[in-house]
Amino acid sequence: MADARSPDLPVCNISLSINGERQKFTLHPWTTLLDLLRGPLELSGTKKGCDHGQCGACTVLVDGERINSCLKLAVSLDGAGIITIEGLGSPNGLHPMQEAFVEHDAYQCGYCTPGQICSAVALVKEGHARSRAEIRELMSGNLCRCGAYTNIADAIEEVMDTQRIRPVKEAAE
Amino acid sequence: MRPFSFNRAETVKEAIAALAQNPDAKLLAGGTNLIDLMKYEVTHPGMIIDINRLPLKEITDLPDGALRIGALASNSAVAYDERVKARFPLLSSAILAGASPQLRNAATTGGNLLQRTRCYYFYDTAAPCNKRAPGSGCSAIGGVNRIHAILGANPACIAVHPSDMCVALAALDTVVEVEGPQGAREIAFLDFHRLAGDEPQRDNTLQTGEIITGLRLPPNPFGQNHTYLKIRDRLSYAFALVSVAAAIEIDKGRIIDLRVALGGVAHKPWRDTLAEREFADRAIGESTFREIAERLLIGAKGQGQNDFKISLARNAIIRALRQAAAGTPQDQTVKAIQ
């Protein structure tokens, strides 16, 4: 049981499934999901960029939906299932989206990459994007200051192609 | 973030009671704005009442053709709901013009109505701000005010309401359903948000202990004659400088019912129903659209850096009316404005 308490301040008991493993936590109610993941859980794959919902680096999947973990109090998610980048794949068994990012060199510094990949996995599952323009619009919640956007869109298109969700390639980018 | 106590409400009644008994409490739904404001210590509630377990997520058809949207339905759930897409496409379009997929997944319908302004000085706890600290003054007047109001502002506050969704809701004559210690009541959407007046700290007309339970969207005759046109500094994931929700009921080339709501220009989603009615039975066309734009912007006043918003709003209204009349709503993916 992870414990991140300070004495004499309010605490709550919650349970979360983290990458498939049910765990119990005693934590202060102001602990964000992001800080729980990166602190006591030592799952530092999820990145803290702006910490204000403006960059998407902290994107994780909560009950299958992508959200900004920096703007979620962990206590408000009691009972939920969380998937982070660590839960998508492993060095010996990459998720297809991770493979595609490697294949297409869809990063430079890599700091935004875990958030980009979690977001992209959700985008494919949501099924609202077909064209490249739609991919770009629906990935707009993930900023990449290195500017790897073209390759990120390429990687996502490849995954969608492989899954026979054929996006329409556009001449002008 | 400052420490607070945490209270989880299981029923609407529990939430109302906790809110009424704790003046220092705030309701937590999606949290996409509240948690941000708490991190900046713009707000520091002594208690958080988590309402995410209240049974308010449903989107329901009503017998009169209206659609009821529960206050906890996420922005994504509403935008992609088949009934919303078919019968209230203006609402779907406005929601998808705002924020990001991650934020729309977390943000709720009720929370969208209650989001606070993005005025820089409201966020800067070192600066005077009548909305954050009543009586301290307005730093935006004479300050950096490029994003601020051109309509309905006063010397106390020139902040604007940041929502896209609310601009569409204003155009659609939405009804806000609330419940409080005195029971349930309904608020017409245009009466829900308020101008700053002499209480800029109050964004809306909710009374102490009241919570939004849902929205009711009455049926409308607009079909494809609508658009949500949003003008912003970058193509995606940015607040509106100016936005226009337009819908027109047209018969034989003439206006039957005109709705034009503006975002990014005032302390509330801006709509002038008296002005709209003056254009009943007028012929659809460029000269009418120009007249409508001029009429809606009578009294518009810049603050210096935002003077450009007056001509931007005028042009956006004309473009939006053109799109609505033609039945070619703005595409929120390909952002080129036709």
Side-chain angles (χ1 to χ4, degrees), chain B residues 9 12 19 45-46 52 57 64 66 76 93 112 314:
Chain B
V12 173
L19 196 56
N52 283 292
K57 283 198 172 71
D64 63 351
S76 295
S93 183
N112 193 303
R314 180 178 162 277

Side-chain angles (χ1 to χ4, degrees), chain A residues 10 29-30 51-54 59 66 68 70-73 75-76 78 119 128 133-134 137-138 140-142, chain B residues 1 3-4 6 8 28 30-32 35-36 39-40 50 53 80 100-105 236-237 332-333 335:
Chain A
W30 48 89
D51 208 24
H52 291 282
Q54 298 173 5
T59 302
R66 50 176 160 162
N68 304 93
C70 72
L71 292 182
K72 230 9 147 181
L73 297 182
V75 67
S76 72
D78 188 16
S119 197
H128 301 305
E134 285 166 338
E137 170 60 22
L138 293 175
S140 66
N142 294 83
Chain B
M1 222 182 301
F4 54 82
F6 184 80
R8 182 176 289 124
L28 175 69
T32 53
I35 302 300
D36 193 32
K39 286 185 176 188
Y40 283 115
D50 183 351
R53 296 206 180 163
Y80 291 115
S100 70
Q102 290 96 314
L103 290 167
R104 295 194 293 262
N105 281 344
S236 198
Y237 204 8
Q332 304 298 1
T333 298
K335 309 290 173 70

Side-chain angles (χ1 to χ4, degrees), chain B:
Chain B
M1 222 182 301
R2 295 192 199 171
F4 54 82
S5 62
F6 184 80
N7 177 336
R8 182 176 289 124
E10 303 287 345
T11 66
V12 173
K13 294 263 179 296
E14 269 181 39
I16 292 167
L19 196 56
Q21 285 159 19
N22 298 280
D24 197 19
K26 293 264 187 217
L27 300 177
L28 175 69
T32 53
N33 188 210
L34 178 63
I35 302 300
D36 193 32
L37 291 168
M38 288 167 68
K39 286 185 176 188
Y40 283 115
E41 299 194 5
V42 172
T43 187
H44 32 77
M47 175 187 280
I48 284 292
I49 304 165
D50 183 351
I51 58 168
N52 283 292
R53 296 206 180 163
L54 305 190
L56 301 174
K57 283 198 172 71
E58 299 298 312
I59 301 175
T60 325
D61 276 305
L62 299 178
D64 63 351
L67 194 64
R68 185 178 188 283
I69 298 176
L72 290 173
S74 74
N75 289 183
S76 295
V78 177
Y80 291 115
D81 183 274
E82 291 302 329
R83 294 160 294 181
V84 174
K85 286 188 337 196
R87 286 149 52 193
F88 306 94
L90 175 60
L91 176 59
S92 180
S93 183
I95 293 172
L96 293 177
S100 70
Q102 290 96 314
L103 290 167
R104 295 194 293 262
N105 281 344
T108 63
T109 299
N112 193 303
L113 269 62
L114 297 177
Q115 64 182 304
R116 311 298 311 270
T117 184
R118 261 62 179 190
C119 172
Y120 326 115
Y121 301 104
F122 177 67
Y123 267 80
D124 178 0
T125 54
C129 167
N130 286 325
K131 185 179 280 298
R132 176 172 32 75
S136 62
C138 174
S139 303
I141 296 173
V144 178
N145 52 35
R146 189 171 171 274
I147 64 171
H148 290 76
I150 55 171
L151 287 164
N154 76 23
C157 181
I158 59 169
V160 299
H161 194 266
S163 172
D164 291 299
M165 184 177 96
C166 288
V167 185
L169 292 173
L172 292 168
D173 282 352
T174 306
V175 175
V176 185
E177 299 176 342
V178 308
E179 209 170 314
Q182 315 302 322
R185 69 179 178 119
E186 298 182 343
I187 307 173
F189 199 83
L190 298 184
D191 297 330
F192 183 82
H193 296 99
R194 58 189 294 286
L195 291 179
D198 53 7
E199 289 184 295
Q201 70 274 22
R202 287 181 61 215
D203 294 347
N204 58 60
T205 55
L206 282 178
Q207 301 296 316
T208 305
E210 281 187 329
I211 79 170
I212 301 170
T213 53
L215 301 179
R216 205 169 65 242
L217 291 163
N220 68 77
F222 302 119
Q224 282 302 297
N225 291 116
H226 69 87
T227 194
Y228 186 71
L229 180 60
K230 177 176 180 178
I231 313 295
R232 49 191 145 176
D233 281 329
R234 56 185 187 198
L235 280 178
S236 198
Y237 204 8
F239 290 101
L241 288 167
V242 169
S243 70
V244 185
I248 320 176
E249 184 185 1
I250 304 168
D251 185 45
K252 300 186 180 72
R254 293 189 172 273
I255 294 171
I256 305 291
D257 186 358
L258 171 70
R259 313 269 182 94
V260 184
L262 305 179
V265 297
H267 195 259
K268 59 183 285 188
W270 186 265
R271 199 174 145 206
D272 184 340
T273 53
L274 286 176
E276 289 170 1
R277 283 202 281 275
E278 291 170 17
F279 292 88
D281 206 35
R282 291 284 300 273
I284 290 293
E286 284 298 304
S287 61
T288 302
F289 299 159
R290 281 176 199 285
E291 261 187 75
I292 293 171
E294 300 292 350
R295 174 67 183 84
L296 291 176
L297 293 168
I298 288 176
K301 181 176 168 294
Q303 298 287 337
Q305 295 182 4
N306 69 347
D307 292 350
F308 74 98
K309 275 193 177 186
I310 299 173
S311 54
L312 187 68
R314 180 178 162 277
N315 291 339
I317 293 168
I318 294 168
R319 299 291 281 265
L321 290 169
R322 213 183 278 163
Q323 292 179 337
T328 53
Q330 176 62 38
D331 187 316
Q332 304 298 1
T333 298
V334 179
K335 309 290 173 70
I337 301 170
Q338 301 301 326

